[in-house]
Amino acid sequence: MNLVVEKKDYQKDGSRFHSSERAVELPLGQRFYNEFKDDELIEVGSVLENLNLLNHPVVDLGPSKSFNHIKQDALGINYTNKSVLSMSTIEHVGDFELRGNFNHIYDSIKLLQKIHSQSSRYLITYPVGYSLFQPTHYNPLDLFLAKKSSDYNMAFYIKKRGTLCAGGGKYTEPEWKLSTECDPKYFKFNYGCPFKGATILVVIYNNI
């Protein structure tokens, strides 16, 4: 599957997507859906509903418009022989239990490992630096992938231009650059700074 999203491909159906990492994620998600919708596709996190794609199974503890909504913990799902798509969701895994404690702080890593070991293929995206406890704690998923980068296929979308979090947040048309080189410094960026939303979007994939 082609991972290159050019400026002309950015999701523009609503400015709330165009200025965020969704601009890149939704075109990638659409491609994955188009290529693997007939290969036991399952989505973790209800994001494709933004493209009105509602017929495939969607695992999400929150609300979903999907006609096949599985309201269960993603860690309890069997992903064997599945084509798994997950966009800006894995960094939230554990949030429902995390409120004020660290009992489930590593759930995002456990889910990644499970999908990696069980599924036929997957495409997972998430923004670097997101943490329920930010800015006092790094996301454990960032630290894990920085150390285990050779164990996973990864690409990185780097926001080179966009709306800054400072200076009143005047809208600036975003520009993303794709890098296939894994630089450990990518995992040290904060979410929401210097740009609104993600500065680095990680794309983790297998067998696509």
Side-chain angles (χ1 to χ4, degrees), residues 40-42 44 57 59 70 72-84 111 114-115 117-120:
E40 296 289 325
L41 174 68
I42 187 169
V44 178
V59 180
I70 305 170
Q72 295 180 24
D73 186 337
L75 273 171
I77 301 297
N78 185 348
Y79 298 101
T80 302
N81 298 324
K82 303 292 186 183
S83 298
V84 182
L111 180 58
K114 184 171 186 177
I115 293 173
S117 64
Q118 290 185 348
S119 67
S120 297

Side-chain angles (χ1 to χ4, degrees), residues 132-182:
L132 184 64
F133 298 98
Q134 68 185 121
T136 57
H137 297 88
Y138 284 109
N139 185 334
L141 188 59
D142 294 337
L143 301 176
F144 173 79
L145 287 173
K147 294 179 180 178
K148 299 285 188 178
S149 59
S150 61
D151 294 347
Y152 296 89
N153 298 317
M154 288 188 287
F156 302 84
Y157 271 93
I158 306 159
K159 187 181 284 184
K160 307 299 289 186
R161 184 179 67 180
T163 303
L164 296 172
C165 58
K170 182 179 178 182
Y171 174 77
T172 301
E173 187 174 24
E175 180 181 346
W176 295 85
K177 179 183 178 182
L178 175 64
S179 173
T180 56
E181 299 295 325
C182 184

Side-chain angles (χ1 to χ4, degrees), residues 5-192:
V5 177
E6 299 179 4
K7 195 171 183 179
K8 63 181 178 62
D9 302 320
Y10 290 173
Q11 174 66 21
K12 297 183 175 65
D13 293 341
S15 59
R16 67 192 180 103
F17 294 147
H18 189 212
S19 59
S20 74
E21 53 269 24
R22 286 281 192 261
V24 172
E25 289 179 315
L26 288 175
L28 289 175
Q30 176 80 72
R31 290 177 196 170
F32 189 91
Y33 177 87
N34 290 345
E35 291 198 28
F36 305 115
K37 61 184 176 182
D38 297 324
D39 295 316
E40 296 289 325
L41 174 68
I42 187 169
E43 184 180 11
V44 178
S46 193
V47 175
L48 283 182
E49 66 176 40
N50 293 297
L51 298 178
N52 205 34
L53 299 174
L54 306 174
N55 292 317
H56 60 285
V58 174
V59 180
D60 199 317
L61 281 174
S64 174
K65 297 177 183 178
S66 171
F67 300 136
N68 193 353
H69 181 194
I70 305 170
K71 199 166 186 177
Q72 295 180 24
D73 186 337
L75 273 171
I77 301 297
N78 185 348
Y79 298 101
T80 302
N81 298 324
K82 303 292 186 183
S83 298
V84 182
L85 173 65
S86 183
M87 295 178 286
S88 284
T89 295
I90 198 167
E91 74 277 12
H92 294 287
V93 173
D95 278 9
F96 284 88
E97 297 87 5
L98 264 173
R99 310 299 181 183
N101 68 74
F102 290 90
N103 292 343
H104 296 265
I105 196 73
Y106 298 110
D107 282 4
S108 58
I109 297 171
K110 293 176 184 177
L111 180 58
L112 174 62
Q113 292 173 321
K114 184 171 186 177
I115 293 173
H116 180 72
S117 64
Q118 290 185 348
S119 67
S120 297
R121 63 185 57 83
Y122 61 81
L123 176 70
I124 298 170
T125 67
Y126 85 94
V128 165
Y130 174 86
S131 172
L132 184 64
F133 298 98
Q134 68 185 121
T136 57
H137 297 88
Y138 284 109
N139 185 334
L141 188 59
D142 294 337
L143 301 176
F144 173 79
L145 287 173
K147 294 179 180 178
K148 299 285 188 178
S149 59
S150 61
D151 294 347
Y152 296 89
N153 298 317
M154 288 188 287
F156 302 84
Y157 271 93
I158 306 159
K159 187 181 284 184
K160 307 299 289 186
R161 184 179 67 180
T163 303
L164 296 172
C165 58
K170 182 179 178 182
Y171 174 77
T172 301
E173 187 174 24
E175 180 181 346
W176 295 85
K177 179 183 178 182
L178 175 64
S179 173
T180 56
E181 299 295 325
C182 184
D183 189 331
K185 72 180 181 183
Y186 292 159
F187 294 101
K188 296 181 179 180
F189 279 80
N190 292 321
Y191 184 82

